[in-house]
Amino acid sequence: MNKEVISAIKVLFIAFLAYLFSYMDRMAWAPIIPLASKDLGINAAQAGSLMTAFYLGYVITQVPGGYLTDKYGYRKMLLTSFLITGFFTILTSFVHSYGLAFLVRFIAGMGSGAIFSAGIVAITDWFTEKRRGAAMGFFMTSTSFGISLVNLFVPSVAHGFGWRTAFLITGSLPFIGLILGYFLLKERTPVHQISKKQSTSWHDIVSLLKNKNIILMGIAGLGGQWATVGTATWANTYLIKSLHLSLVEAGAIMSLFGTAALLCKPLTGFLSDYLDRKSLAVGILLLAVPVLSWFGANQNISILYFIAPMMGICVYAFYPVLQTIIYNLVDRRLVGTTSGLVNGMWQIGSLTAPLAVGAVIDATQNYFYCFLTLAAGPLLGAIATILIKVEKKTVADKVDTKETVLLVEAQKIS
């Protein structure tokens, strides 16, 4: 393996850790809702809103995070994200009121806002078109791996030592990423070399908002994300309160959900390098509709061991496919800003799903309606994806890669 390949792997690994630890910090709340809600004296809608709080901070920093990534580089943004997310997740373990819990979750979400766009730009910087889908698939396993890890250790820690200790542990993890990233993370294309010729302006953001394909991409991911975050937030509570499983048993089943998602993402990312990405994304989103409905209607505990992994595949596998399409919709210099903008639209689903489903549960006391509500998201996402017009950028990618190599060589000579 040559030095460039090793460097690419290191960068991908740090981007993976940033997304992994961020996702663990945001999802650590879900499996302990029954315990923490009682301790804080809050209802289901308020409990759901604490998931929404993280995503609110996350959403409003998507476009600024992408813009700053294009301007200052993904290294600075990822290191800053490790620091802020970890610190405010640790603070969550010390809150004793709903208002303060909402605030620290909100700021932790803000700290994670640049991670997605920084990761996308890092992959674009180090991987060519023919390898980008596989790299994206690995990058996106971070969220699935995060769900699996959270459901394996958070319920056990919360049961034995309290939910506050669980937040202390998850909040400490980003500091490990900060140390590793400081020594291992470097940029292939110097950011100042790009910005001198092609600086991103707010006029570019306005033009992106007028781009029909970008809006459709935002709607597609919003629908998928609605199902992903809504399921990750409320599935544990459904298993505990409706099917009467223990906290640890529910966590074990949901770890299968996360493990299946973990395994399918590299596969779908790899397949997207060889199959039509648009058709693949549509198929995955459509499959999620009946699977979510089945999960909400099922009362057989044994079948959960089959449905949970299926559900994990359906609500997570579309991510690397849709995200790789982004590069084919805009210029290279706008990848970070576009990724932030699109992910910001996607996170509207993350913002609204936990709160909306919590309200449905409070109103109906019926979890079937909860998952039927979630199933509407992927259906909307599939329709939006069908309408996206994707253009090939093979030639442009080759030119861009050639320019990048020349820039790197020039830097070495100087």
Side-chain angles (χ1 to χ4, degrees), residues 28 30-32 35 147-163 166 236 240 246-252 254:
I32 59 174
L35 284 178
I147 275 288
S148 185
L149 286 177
V150 161
N151 280 286
L152 280 173
F153 90 85
V154 167
S156 298
V157 172
H159 180 73
F161 304 96
W163 67 271
N236 294 72
I240 293 167
S246 70
L247 193 72
V248 175
E249 287 172 333
M254 288 306 293

Side-chain angles (χ1 to χ4, degrees), residues 172-321:
S172 300
L173 294 176
F175 288 95
I176 298 174
L178 177 64
I179 295 170
L180 291 175
Y182 182 82
F183 292 104
L184 299 179
L185 185 60
K186 66 177 183 178
E187 297 181 352
R188 182 186 185 192
T189 308
V191 68
H192 68 274
Q193 297 272 14
I194 298 175
S195 60
K196 281 181 180 178
K197 291 183 178 181
Q198 301 174 318
S199 61
T200 304
S201 70
W202 290 103
H203 294 292
D204 292 314
I205 297 174
V206 174
S207 69
L208 291 175
L209 289 170
K210 295 178 180 179
N211 188 318
K212 180 181 176 183
N213 282 328
I214 299 301
I215 299 303
L216 288 171
M217 176 67 77
I219 294 172
L222 186 158
Q225 189 83 338
W226 168 277
T228 303
V229 177
T231 301
T233 301
W234 290 109
N236 294 72
T237 303
Y238 159 64
L239 295 174
I240 293 167
K241 291 193 173 181
S242 184
L243 300 185
H244 309 294
L245 300 182
S246 70
L247 193 72
V248 175
E249 287 172 333
I253 288 175
M254 288 306 293
S255 72
L256 296 177
F257 165 84
T259 301
L262 170 66
L263 296 175
C264 77
K265 281 185 181 179
L267 177 60
T268 53
F270 176 78
L271 289 175
S272 73
D273 286 333
Y274 299 94
L275 301 178
D276 181 72
R277 287 170 177 154
K278 178 177 167 180
S279 300
L280 185 59
V282 170
I284 295 168
L285 288 167
L286 286 177
L287 182 60
V289 177
V291 171
L292 284 166
S293 303
W294 184 19
F295 183 79
N298 173 66
Q299 295 294 311
N300 189 321
I301 295 174
S302 298
I303 295 179
L304 289 173
Y305 291 92
F306 173 75
I307 306 177
M310 278 290 295
M311 190 167 62
I313 293 170
C314 292
V315 302
Y316 278 101
F318 70 91
Y319 281 102
V321 187

Side-chain angles (χ1 to χ4, degrees), residues 26-105:
R26 76 183 79 171
M27 298 310 301
W29 174 251
I32 59 174
I33 284 178
L35 284 178
S37 296
K38 185 177 180 180
D39 185 30
L40 294 173
I42 58 178
N43 59 31
Q46 289 174 314
S49 74
L50 290 182
M51 284 294 290
T52 298
F54 188 102
Y55 281 103
L56 180 60
Y58 187 65
V59 167
I60 66 173
T61 50
Q62 286 302 301
V63 176
Y67 176 81
L68 292 174
T69 296
D70 285 334
K71 189 175 180 67
Y72 296 109
Y74 49 84
R75 186 179 190 275
K76 290 181 180 178
M77 300 312 297
L78 288 175
L79 294 181
T80 303
S81 295
F82 278 128
L83 178 63
I84 297 175
T85 305
F87 180 74
F88 281 94
T89 299
I90 288 175
L91 283 186
T92 307
S93 65
F94 295 98
V95 302
H96 290 278
S97 67
Y98 168 73
L100 189 56
F102 192 97
L103 178 63
V104 295
R105 292 285 288 168

Side-chain angles (χ1 to χ4, degrees), residues 55 58-63 116 218 222 338-349 351:
Y55 281 103
Y58 187 65
V59 167
I60 66 173
T61 50
Q62 286 302 301
V63 176
F116 177 79
L222 186 158
T338 305
S339 298
L341 177 61
V342 168
N343 197 39
M345 289 188 275
W346 290 12
Q347 299 308 324
I348 294 173
L351 273 170

